[in-house]
Amino acid sequence: MQEGDIDAVMASERATYDFPWEAEVFRECLRVGYNCWVAEMSEVVVAHAVMSIGADECHVLNICVHCDWQRMGFGRRLLRRLLKLAKQRGADTAFLEVRVSNQPARALYAAEGFCEIGTRRGYYPARYGREDAVVLALAL
């Protein structure tokens, strides 16, 4: 991901999520050197991902596949790319949070070997209050 991708990334976030990240969050992630990736199809950004690495662990912060391009393997490929990079850079554990209600993402993470290690109560904004997050971990 580069600064020039942020408009397309934001279009995907807005089309896919009720509570998208703000463009400034992506800019800050790029500025501090997080691993920020996009997936393209015919030069169109169809998915993106953000991960931080530090202290022998990585944290997958965002994986978003545009709603028009879901169920085609883009999320899985981005996740595998992030985990490979994390391993190459010395991380031994990967962590992430996912909405309790996001069954497709939870199924993907389970299929990739992530295990549930906890819950963050009220972690995500929701239409009627807050939604819990399931905390997942994977030994790399």
Side-chain angles (χ1 to χ4, degrees), residues 6-28:
I6 291 179
D7 286 345
V9 165
M10 289 307 304
S12 184
E13 283 272 314
R14 288 185 191 111
T16 306
Y17 296 139
D18 289 335
F19 300 93
W21 279 17
E22 296 292 330
E24 192 53 40
V25 174
F26 288 104
R27 286 187 186 92
E28 183 66 10

Side-chain angles (χ1 to χ4, degrees), residues 88-107:
Q88 289 172 346
R89 295 186 182 156
D92 56 25
T93 308
F95 296 97
L96 60 83
E97 291 88 17
V98 61
R99 286 180 183 271
V100 169
S101 64
N102 191 343
Q103 293 303 320
R106 291 179 68 180

Side-chain angles (χ1 to χ4, degrees), residues 70-97:
Q70 292 179 356
R71 319 264 321 143
M72 296 181 190
F74 291 107
R76 184 179 309 274
R77 283 181 273 187
L78 278 171
L79 177 62
R80 288 179 176 173
R81 163 70 81 173
L82 294 177
L83 298 176
K84 181 178 178 182
L85 287 169
K87 196 184 277 190
Q88 289 172 346
R89 295 186 182 156
D92 56 25
T93 308
F95 296 97
L96 60 83
E97 291 88 17

Side-chain angles (χ1 to χ4, degrees), residues 96-109 116-126 130-136:
L96 60 83
E97 291 88 17
V98 61
R99 286 180 183 271
V100 169
S101 64
N102 191 343
Q103 293 303 320
R106 291 179 68 180
L108 167 64
Y109 299 137
E116 184 175 330
I117 61 168
T119 302
R120 295 191 194 274
R121 301 274 177 227
Y123 186 75
Y124 289 108
R130 307 287 299 176
E131 182 176 355
D132 294 347
V134 177
V135 182
L136 304 174

Side-chain angles (χ1 to χ4, degrees), residues 10-66:
M10 289 307 304
S12 184
E13 283 272 314
R14 288 185 191 111
T16 306
Y17 296 139
D18 289 335
F19 300 93
W21 279 17
E22 296 292 330
E24 192 53 40
V25 174
F26 288 104
R27 286 187 186 92
E28 183 66 10
C29 289
L30 287 169
R31 188 188 69 74
V32 300
Y34 286 176
N35 290 272
C36 303
W37 291 84
V38 294
E40 295 180 334
M41 189 69 151
S42 302
E43 298 183 29
V44 173
V45 173
V46 298
H48 57 273
V50 178
M51 174 185 67
S52 66
I53 303 173
D56 300 330
E57 62 188 45
C58 73
H59 196 127
V60 178
L61 302 169
N62 187 324
I63 295 182
C64 176
V65 178
H66 190 286

